[in-house]
C-alpha cells in the first residue's frame, strides 16, 4: 500500500503544469489535514484535471482514510512535505492567465513540459514559435481572445510572461551541489561588476573532491577552453594560437605535451596536425646565459661529448636549440635544429629532420615563414585575479542560454583579419607578378572567375589560405564564398589602392544623390507635429519606428547570427522605414517622414550617426536632419535609440559619444537641470542580444548608478592628483542625467513583438503640452567641423575623378604610352641600323678576304686557271708590256669573232639535229602503230563466235489464249519457203481462237528468215550443201535445241552466206509442257570481223608509205645527201672553231698572268689595310647592339607595364562608373543651390572643373574602357 502512495506522490511531483500542480498540492494538504473527500470536486472549472491525476488523488484519499497508525501518518506527512514542498513552483499573473486559456486544456504533459522549459530558458523567440505550433489552427482564435483582454496577441503575451518572471538566483554557489548533468548545455558567465568578461557554453562537466573535502568543478566549453572552479578561486585554460617560434623561446610547452601545429605548405616534410613534444629542448652549448637559463627552466642542456661530427657554426652570439616532436597521425619523429641570435633571439636557420625508422630526411625552412606562418594551438592556464570566495556568488552565473550572435560576430572579425592578411601578402612587391597575372585573368574572363590561373600558379600558400578562408565563411558564418569570389574582391581592391591613393574620395558621391529623395520625403512636414528618432547606425531606429507604426515584421538570423527584423511582404513599404541588416550599416540614408495613426502626428526617421560608410554619408545625414527639423511644424519630442550592448561593452563609451553627438544638435539634452530635457526620451533596443541580468541591471537603474558612482570615484581620485577632470565630469553628468531620466520614466525598452507597449509609448511622447523650441536646435552643417569635412570630401572626390581618373586615363596614360612607343620604335630602328651595318661590314670583310685569298693564290701560283680581272692600264707600262697588251687585245677580238661563228654553227647543227630527231620519231611511231595494227588483225581473225540467231519459247504463254490461222495448203507453205518469198495474208485462212495454250493439242508451223551483215553460213555452194546436210563445216556449225519441235522444211541459204531460212513446227499437247526452240550458229571470227580487218589493213598500208618517205629524207638516194650527212659536216666545223678559240684563250691567259703580277701585289696591300679597318669597326658593333637590345627590353617592359596600368585603370573605372555619375549629379546640385558654400570657394571651383572635364570626356571614357576590357560600355 505504501508503494502505491509513493507512486501517487511521484506522479504529483511530475505534474508539468505549475497551476495544476499548485492546485493539486493544496488539495492534498486538505486531504491530509481534514480528511475531506469533497475537496476533489472543488477544482476551478477553467482547469482540467487529467483522469490519471484524479485516480491518484482518489487512491491517496482512500489510503489516508484507512490509515490508523499515527506513526505512519506522521511519516506520510514528512514524505509529502519533502516531495511536494521541496518542488519550487512560481506563479505570476501573466502565466496564470495564459494557463487558463480555453485552448490550453487540450495540451499534453509533454507539451506543457516543453512550454515551461522555454519559459525558463527565457528565449522569447523560441517560446513564441513553439506556442503557435502547439495551438495550430487555433492561433487566430487565441489572438482574438488575447486582444479582447488587453494582451493583443500571442507574441505580446509571451513577451509579458518572460518579462515578469520572478527573479531567481542563478549563481554558481546556488547550483554547487547539483549533479554533473545539470550543467550540460548551460552557459557560464564570469562577470566583472555587472557585465561579463568571459562566457561559453558548457559541453562537459566533472566534479571532484579534494583531500580537504572541498569540491571543485571542471567545465569544458564549446571552444575547448576549460574552467576550473574552486571555492576560493577560478582558473581558465583557453585555447590560443601563437607563433611556434614565440612559444619555443618562451617555453610555453613541456615534455609529453600535445599541441596542434599549422603552417601553409612551407614544409614538405612536416605534415600539419597534432604533435607531442617527446623530448624537451636542449642545446649543443655547454652553458646558457642567465636570462636564457631562466627562460628555459624546463629544458635540459646536451653537451657534445667527443662527437666526430663537424664543428658547430656557433660563435659567441649564436645559440642552437634542438627538440623532438612526434606526429600523432603517422607516429614519425622529427628533430628541429634552430640557430638563433642569443642576444636578440632572432633565428638564423631552421632545419627539420625525419629521424624515424623510415630513414633520415631533412629540409631547411626559410627564416621569415618559420617565424610568421608556423602556428601552434595550445592551452595556457590563467587565474582570474579579481574573483575569490567573497564575490564568487556575484561573479559566476549559470544560465540556460548562449549568445551565439556574439560568437559569430567574433568569427566574422577573425575572417576579416585573415582576409586582410591575404590582401597584405599580395600587396608586397614580391607578389607583383602574381597580382598582375590574376588581374589579367580576371579581365579575360569578364570578372566572372580566374579560369585556370590559380591552378597554374605555384603559390601553395595563397591557394591554401583562400581555401581555408572559403571554408571558414561557410562553416562559421554560413556564407558560401568560393576562392575565386574572395580573391576577386581582394585583387580589385589592391588594384584600386595601387593606382589611386584616395579611396575615401569615391564614397562621397554614393549618398549625395539621396538628398533629392530626402527633399521629396519630407514634403508636407510643415503641417505636422513630429517626434524625432535619432541614434547610431545599426541601433534599431527604423525597426523601432516600424514597430510603433504597427507594421508586420519578419524575424530571422543574419549571416553572423544577429537577430534581424525585416518588413513582411504584402505591406505598403512606402509607409514604413527600410530596415538594415548588415553589421554597422543602416538602410536609413536620409531623413524620412512617416505618418502615425494619430492625426497630425508624424515620425522623423533620421539617418544613423557614426555610419560605417564614411564622412560623406555623415554629411548627407546631417544635411537631411537639418532640413527636417527646420521645416517641421512642431517637434514634440526627441527619442534617442540605444542598443543594449552599448551600455554593457567598452565601459559604455558608445553611449557617451552618442550623447555628445545629440548635445551638438540639442545642447539642452541630457542635462538634468534643463526643462526641455523632459522632451528627450531613451529607447533601449536589441534586448535579445544580451543576458537577462544585464538587461535587468538597466531596467532597475543599477547600471546607470554604477557608472555614475564609478565616474564620481574617478573624479575624486583625479581631483586629489590634480589631473584634468573635464572628461570624467562629463561622464558623471551624463550618468547623472540617465539616473534622473530613469526616475522620470524617460527610459524604456523595446520588444517589437509586444504590442502592449505601443500606445503607452505614443502617449508618453506626445501628452505634454508644447514641444521643443526649434531655435535651440543647432544645425550640423553650420559647424566648422562639418563644413571642413564637407569641403574636404567634395574637393577630394572631384579632384580624384578629374585628375587621377579622367585626365589620367584619357590623356596622361595614352600620352605616356605613345611617347614610350615612339621611343621604343626609334630604338628598334637604331638596332636595325646597327644590325644592317654589322651585316654590311661582315659582307665587305668576307668579300675583301675572298679577294685577298685569290690574290695570294695567284701570286703563289696555286690558282693559275682563274686570273683576276684587273685593269692592266693602271700599271706603269713599258714596250714589252705594250706589245703583250696589243697582242692580248688582238687575240681577244679574234676570240670574239670565233664566238659568233661557233654560235652560228651550233645553231645550224641544232636545226639539222632537230629535223633528224623529228624524222626518226615519225618513223618510230609508224612502226609502232603497224605492230599494233597487226596484233589487232591477229586477235580479230582468231577463234570462233557463238551467235543465237533465233529463239521461240511458248512456256511463258501457258495460261494465255491461243489464236491460229492455217495455210491454205501444205504445198503452198513448202513452195513459199523454198522460193524464199515471205508469206502474205492471202496465203492463210482467217484467225481462230482455239483455247488456251496449255489445253491445245497439235502442231504450230513456223518459217524463220535470218539475215546478218556478216557470214553466218559458208559462202561456197558445195561447202554449203555439206553444211546443210551435217550442220557443220570447218569452223561453221549450226545447233538447234528445244523440246517438242521438228524442223520439217529444213534449212535454206541464198548463197551470200549472210541469209538463212529455217522451217519448223512446235508440237503442243494438252497436259504436257509447252515446246520451245533455240537456233545457235558457231561462226569463225575471221568471217565475223571481215570488214574491220579490211579497214585495218588499209591503215597499215598508209603507214608503210610514210615510213618509206621519211627514210628517204634521212638517208637520201645518194650517200652524200641527207640530213645525217649534213649534221656530221656541221659537227666537224664546230670542233675546229672551238679548238682554235681554245688555243687563243690559252695564249691570252699567259699574257694576263704576266701583266697581273705587279697589280696583284699592289691590291693585296691595300685590301689588307681595308680588312683591318673593317674589323676594328666590327668589334665595336656587338657592344652597341647589346646595349640597344637591353634598352629595348627595358622599354618594352615599361610599355607593357603602362598598358597594364591603363587596363587596370579601366577596370577601376568600370567598377566605379556609378560613383562618377553620382559625383557629377551632386556637383550640378551643389552649383545650383550653393547651400552653405561660398560661390568662389575652392569646393565650387573644383566642382566646376570636374563637371567641365567629366561632360567633355564621359563618352570617350566609356568607349575606351569598353574597348580596353572587351566589356560592354559602363552604364
Amino acid at each position: 500500500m505504501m508503494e502505491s502512495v509513493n507512486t501517487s506522490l511521484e506522479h504529483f511531483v511530475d505534474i508539468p503544469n505549475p497551476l495544476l500542480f499548485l492546485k493539486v498540492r493544496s488539495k492534498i494538504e486538505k486531504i491530509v489535514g481534514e480528511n475531506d473527500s469533497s475537496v476533489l470536486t472543488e477544482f476551478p472549472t477553467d482547469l482540467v484535471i487529467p483522469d490519471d491525476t484524479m485516480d491518484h488523488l482518489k487512491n491517496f484519499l482512500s489510503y489516508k482514510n484507512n490509515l490508523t497508525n499515527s506513526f505512519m501518518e506522521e511519516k506520510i506527512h514528512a514524505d509529502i512535505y519533502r516531495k511536494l514542498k521541496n518542488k519550487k513552483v512560481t506563479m505570476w499573473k501573466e502565466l496564470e492567465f495564459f494557463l487558463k486559456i480555453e485552448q490550453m486544456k487540450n495540451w499534453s504533459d509533454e507539451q506543457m513540459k516543453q512550454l515551461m522549459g522555454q519559459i525558463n530558458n527565457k528565449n522569447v523567440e523560441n517560446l513564441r514559435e513553439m506556442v503557435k505550433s502547439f495551438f495550430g489552427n487555433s492561433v487566430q482564435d487565441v489572438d482574438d481572445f488575447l486582444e479582447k483582454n488587453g494582451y493583443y496577441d500571442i507574441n505580446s503575451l509571451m513577451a509579458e510572461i518572460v518579462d515578469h518572471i520572478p527573479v531567481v538566483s542563478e549563481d554558481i554557489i546556488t547550483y554547487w551541489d547539483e549533479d554533473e548533468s545539470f550543467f550540460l548545455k548551460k552557459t557560464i558567465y564570469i562577470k566583472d561588476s555587472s557585465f561579463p568578461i568571459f562566457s561559453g557554453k558548457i559541453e562537459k562537466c566533472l566534479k571532484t573532491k579534494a583531500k580537504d573535502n572541498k569540491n571543485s568543478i571542471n567545465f569544458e566549453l564549446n571552444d575547448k577552453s576549460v574552467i576550473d572552479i574552486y571555492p576560493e578561486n577560478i582558473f581558465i585554460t583557453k585555447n590560443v594560437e601563437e607563433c611556434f617560434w614565440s612559444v619555443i623561446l618562451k617555453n610555453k610547452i613541456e615534455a609529453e605535451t600535445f599541441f596542434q601545429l599549422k603552417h601553409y605548405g612551407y614544409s614538405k616534410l612536416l605534415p600539419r596536425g597534432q604533435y607531442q613534444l617527446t623530448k624537451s629542448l636542449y642545446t649543443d652549448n655547454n652553458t646558457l646565459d642567465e636570462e636564457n637559463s631562466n627562460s628555459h627552466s624546463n629544458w635540459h642542456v646536451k653537451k657534445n661529448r667527443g662527437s666526430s661530427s663537424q664543428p658547430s657554426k656557433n660563435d659567441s652570439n649564436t645559440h642552437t636549440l634542438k627538440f623532438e616532436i612526434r606526429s600523432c597521425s603517422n607516429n614519425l619523429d622529427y628533430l628541429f635544429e634552430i640557430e638563433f641570435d642569443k642576444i636578440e633571439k632572432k633565428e638564423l636557420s631552421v632545419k627539420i629532420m625525419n629521424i624515424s625508422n623510415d630513414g633520415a630526411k631533412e629540409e631547411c625552412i626559410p627564416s621569415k615563414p618559420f617565424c610568421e606562418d608556423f602556428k601552434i594551438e595550445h592551452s595556457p592556464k590563467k587565474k582570474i585575479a579579481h574573483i575569490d570566495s567573497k564575490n564568487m556568488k556575484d561573479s559566476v552565473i549559470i544560465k540556460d542560454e548562449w549568445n551565439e550572435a556574439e560568437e559569430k560576430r567574433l568569427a566574422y572579425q577573425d575572417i576579416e583579419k585573415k582576409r586582410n592578411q591575404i590582401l597584405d601578402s599580395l600587396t608586397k612587391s614580391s607578389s607583383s607578378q602574381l597580382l598582375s597575372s590574376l588581374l589579367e585573368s580576371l579581365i579575360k574572363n569578364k570578372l566572372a572567375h580566374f579560369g585556370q590561373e590559380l591552378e597554374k600558379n605555384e603559390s601553395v600558400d595563397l591557394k591554401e589560405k583562400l581555401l581555408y578562408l572559403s571554408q571558414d565563411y561557410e562553416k562559421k558564418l554560413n556564407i558560401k564564398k568560393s576562392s575565386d569570389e574572395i580573391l576577386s574582391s581582394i585583387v580589385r581592391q589592391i588594384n584600386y589602392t595601387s593606382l589611386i591613393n584616395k579611396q575615401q574620395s569615391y564614397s562621397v558621391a554614393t549618398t549625395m544623390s539621396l538628398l533629392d529623395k530626402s527633399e521629396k520625403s519630407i514634403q508636407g512636414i510643415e503641417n505636422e507635429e513630429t517626434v524625432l528618432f535619432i541614434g547610431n547606425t545599426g541601433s534599431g531606429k527604423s525597426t523601432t519606428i516600424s514597430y510603433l507604426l504597427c507594421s508586420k515584421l519578419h524575424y530571422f538570423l543574419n549571416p553572423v547570427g544577429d537577430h534581424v527584423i525585416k518588413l513582411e511582404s504584402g505591406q505598403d513599404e512606402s509607409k514604413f522605414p527600410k530596415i538594415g541588416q548588415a553589421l554597422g550599416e543602416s538602410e536609413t540614408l536620409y531623413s524620412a517622414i512617416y505618418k502615425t495613426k494619430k492625426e497630425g502626428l508624424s515620425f522623423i526617421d533620421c539617418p544613423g550617426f557614426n555610419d560605417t560608410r564614411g564622412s560623406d554619408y555623415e554629411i548627407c545625414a546631417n544635411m537631411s536632419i537639418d532640413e527636417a527639423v527646420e521645416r517641421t511644424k512642431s517637434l514634440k519630442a526627441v527619442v534617442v535609440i540605444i542598443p543594449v550592448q552599448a551600455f554593457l561593452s567598452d565601459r559604455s563609451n558608445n553611449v557617451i559619444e552618442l550623447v555628445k553627438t545629440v548635445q551638438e544638435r540639442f545642447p539642452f539634452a541630457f542635462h538634468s537641470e534643463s526643462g526641455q530635457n523632459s522632451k528627450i526620451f531613451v529607447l533601449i533596443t536589441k534586448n535579445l542580444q544580451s543576458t537577462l541580468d544585464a538587461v535587468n541591471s538597466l531596467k532597475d537603474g543599477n547600471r546607470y548608478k554604477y557608472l555614475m558612482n564609478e565616474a564620481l570615484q574617478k573624479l575624486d581620485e583625479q581631483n586629489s592628483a590634480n589631473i584634468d577632470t573635464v572628461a570624467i565630469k562629463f561622464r558623471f553628468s551624463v550618468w547623472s542625467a540617465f539616473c534622473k531620466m530613469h526616475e522620470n520614466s524617460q527610459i524604456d525598452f523595446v520588444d517589437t513583438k509586444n504590442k502592449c507597449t505601443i500606445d503607452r509609448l505614443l502617449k508618453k511622447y506626445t501628452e505634454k503640452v508644447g514641444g521643443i523650441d526649434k531655435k535651440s536646435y543647432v544645425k550640423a552643417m553650420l559647424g566648422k567641423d562639418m563644413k571642413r569635412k564637407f569641403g574636404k570630401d567634395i574637393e577630394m572626390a572631384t579632384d580624384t575623378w578629374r585628375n587621377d581618373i579622367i585626365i589620367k586615363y584619357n590623356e596622361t596614360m595614352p600620352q605616356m604610352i605613345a611617347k614610350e612607343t615612339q621611343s621604343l620604335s626609334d630604338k628598334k630602328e637604331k638596332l636595325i641600323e646597327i644590325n644592317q651595318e654589322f651585316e654590311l661590314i661582315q659582307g665587305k670583310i668576307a668579300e675583301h678576304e675572298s679577294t685577298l685569298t685569290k690574290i695570294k693564290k695567284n701570286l703563289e701560283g696555286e690558282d693559275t686557271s682563274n686570273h683576276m680581272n684587273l685593269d692592266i692600264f693602271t700599271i706603269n707600262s713599258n714596250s714589252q708590256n705594250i706589245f703583250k697588251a696589243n697582242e692580248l687585245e688582238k687575240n681577244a677580238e679574234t676570240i670574239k669573232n670565233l664566238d659568233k661563228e661557233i654560235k652560228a654553227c651550233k645553231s645550224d647543227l641544232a636545226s639539222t639535229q632537230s629535223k633528224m630527231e623529228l624524222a626518226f620519231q615519225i618513223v618510230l611511231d609508224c612502226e609502232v602503230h603497224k605492230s599494233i595494227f597487226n596484233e589487232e588483225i591477229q586477235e580479230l581473225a582468231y577463234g570462233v563466235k557463238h551467235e543465237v540467231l533465233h529463239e521461240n519459247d511458248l512456256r511463258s504463254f501457258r495460261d494465255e489464249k491461243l489464236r491460229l490461222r492455217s495455210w491454205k495448203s501444205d504445198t503452198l507453205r513448202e513452195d513459199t519457203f523454198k522460193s524464199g518469198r515471205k508469206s502474205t495474208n492471202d496465203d492463210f485462212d482467217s484467225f481462230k481462237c482455239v483455247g488456251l495454250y496449255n489445253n491445245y493439242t497439235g502442231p504450230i508451223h513456223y518459217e524463220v528468215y535470218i539475215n546478218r551483215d556478216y557470214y553466218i553460213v559458208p559462202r561456197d555452194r558445195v561447202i554449203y550443201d555439206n553444211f546443210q546436210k551435217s550442220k557443220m563445216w570447218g569452223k561453221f556449225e549450226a545447233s538447234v535445241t528445244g523440246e517438242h519441235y521438228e524442223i520439217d522444211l529444213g534449212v535454206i541459204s541464198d548463197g551470200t552466206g549472210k541469209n538463212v531460212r529455217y522451217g519448223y513446227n512446235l508440237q503442243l499437247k494438252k497436259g504436257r509442257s509447252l515446246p520451245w526452240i533455240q537456233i545457235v550458229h558457231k561462226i569463225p571470227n575471221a568471217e565475223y570481223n571481215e570488214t574491220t580487218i579490211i579497214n585495218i589493213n588499209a591503215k597499215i598500208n598508209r603507214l608503210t608509205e610514210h615510213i618509206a618517205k621519211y627514210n628517204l629524207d634521212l638517208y637520201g638516194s645518194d650517200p652524200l645527201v641527207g640530213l645525217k650527212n649534213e649534221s656530221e659536216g656541221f659537227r666537224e666545223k664546230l670542233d675546229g672553231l672551238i679548238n682554235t678559240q681554245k688555243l687563243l684563250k690559252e695564249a691570252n691567259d699567259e699574257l694576263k698572268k704576266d701583266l697581273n703580277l705587279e697589280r696583284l701585289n699592289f691590291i693585296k696591300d691595300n685590301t689588307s689595310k681595308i680588312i683591318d679597318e673593317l674589323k676594328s669597326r666590327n668589334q665595336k658593333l656587338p657592344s652597341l647592339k647589346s646595349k640597344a637590345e637591353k634598352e629595348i627590353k627595358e622599354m618594352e617592359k615599361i610599355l607593357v607595364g603602362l598598358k597594364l596600368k591603363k587596363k587596370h585603370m579601366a577596370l577601376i573605372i568600370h567598377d566605379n562608373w556609378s560613383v562618377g555619375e553620382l559625383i557629377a549629379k551632386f556637383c550640378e546640385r551643389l552649383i545650383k543651390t550653393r547651400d552653405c558654400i561660398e560661390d568662389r570657394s575652392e569646393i565650387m571651383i573644383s566642382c566646376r572643373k570636374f563637371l567641365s572635364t567629366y561632360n567633355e570626356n564621359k563618352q570617350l571614357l566609356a568607349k575606351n574602357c569598353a574597348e580596353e576590357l572587351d566589356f560592354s560600355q559602363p552604364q
Side-chain angles (χ1 to χ4, degrees), residues 272-468:
R272 290 167 296 191
Q274 190 174 28
Y275 285 84
Q276 181 184 21
L277 182 67
T278 54
K279 188 174 291 187
S280 301
L281 279 76
Y282 54 85
T283 175
D284 285 340
N285 300 80
N286 293 341
T287 59
L288 299 173
D289 55 73
E290 181 178 353
E291 178 188 352
N292 206 35
S293 298
N294 292 336
S295 64
H296 296 79
S297 57
N298 292 325
W299 305 349
H300 63 273
V301 178
K302 180 179 179 181
K303 300 180 180 180
N304 287 330
R305 299 180 179 177
S307 174
S308 59
S309 61
Q310 293 182 359
S312 173
K313 295 184 296 181
N314 296 346
D315 54 27
S316 58
N317 292 327
T318 305
H319 194 64
T320 302
L321 289 178
K322 298 182 180 181
F323 60 93
E324 296 175 15
I325 63 175
R326 176 171 297 164
S327 171
C328 296
S329 60
N330 57 23
N331 290 324
L332 297 181
D333 292 322
Y334 299 90
L335 171 64
F336 276 74
E337 287 188 1
I338 305 174
E339 288 189 354
F340 66 97
D341 188 284
K342 189 165 57 175
I343 298 174
E344 298 183 5
K345 300 293 189 296
K346 293 182 178 179
E347 82 291 352
L348 298 179
S349 66
V350 181
K351 184 187 292 184
I352 305 174
M353 288 172 281
N354 178 351
I355 57 173
S356 65
N357 295 330
D358 292 349
K361 298 177 183 178
E362 67 178 51
E363 67 176 354
C364 293
I365 304 298
S367 299
K368 190 172 182 180
F370 180 76
C371 259
E372 296 180 359
D373 293 314
F374 274 69
K375 306 291 185 182
I376 181 173
E377 280 189 5
H378 65 124
S379 305
K381 197 169 186 177
K382 179 182 179 182
K383 181 180 178 181
I384 306 300
H386 72 277
I387 298 178
D388 53 26
S389 57
K390 296 179 181 178
N391 60 7
M392 181 80 70
K393 181 178 178 67
D394 298 326
S395 300
V396 182
I397 304 299
I398 304 295
K399 287 181 173 292
D400 278 334
E401 62 182 25
W402 169 239
N403 188 357
E404 294 183 3
E406 184 64 22
E407 182 181 19
K408 290 191 176 182
R409 190 187 299 275
L410 295 174
Y412 182 84
Q413 293 174 354
D414 179 61
I415 288 173
E416 282 299 297
K417 180 181 178 182
K418 292 178 181 178
R419 181 188 180 278
N420 290 334
Q421 289 174 351
I422 296 175
L423 187 147
D424 292 340
S425 67
L426 283 175
T427 308
K428 295 176 182 177
S429 59
S430 58
S431 301
S432 59
Q433 186 174 356
L434 170 60
L435 182 64
S436 179
S437 64
L438 290 172
L439 271 170
E440 285 302 300
S441 178
L442 192 63
I443 294 171
K444 179 181 177 182
N445 294 288
K446 301 190 185 304
L447 309 183
H449 54 82
F450 287 95
Q452 299 297 319
E453 190 61 38
L454 273 180
E455 295 300 323
K456 291 187 291 185
N457 190 273
E458 297 179 355
S459 177
V460 178
D461 177 33
L462 174 61
K463 286 188 284 188
E464 290 195 352
K465 284 183 177 180
L466 287 170
L467 178 61
Y468 292 150

Side-chain angles (χ1 to χ4, degrees), residues 57-73:
L57 282 170
K58 292 176 180 179
N59 176 58
F60 184 79
L61 179 61
S62 173
Y63 176 73
K64 177 65 175 65
N65 291 335
N66 295 328
L67 188 64
T68 57
N69 189 320
S70 59
F71 174 77
M72 290 297 296
E73 187 173 355

Side-chain angles (χ1 to χ4, degrees), residues 833-844 1178 1181:
E833 292 176 1
I834 292 172
N835 286 330
Q836 289 176 343
E837 183 182 359
F838 183 79
E839 291 175 0
L840 180 63
I841 291 174
Q842 289 286 89
K844 288 183 177 180
N1178 209 33
L1181 289 177

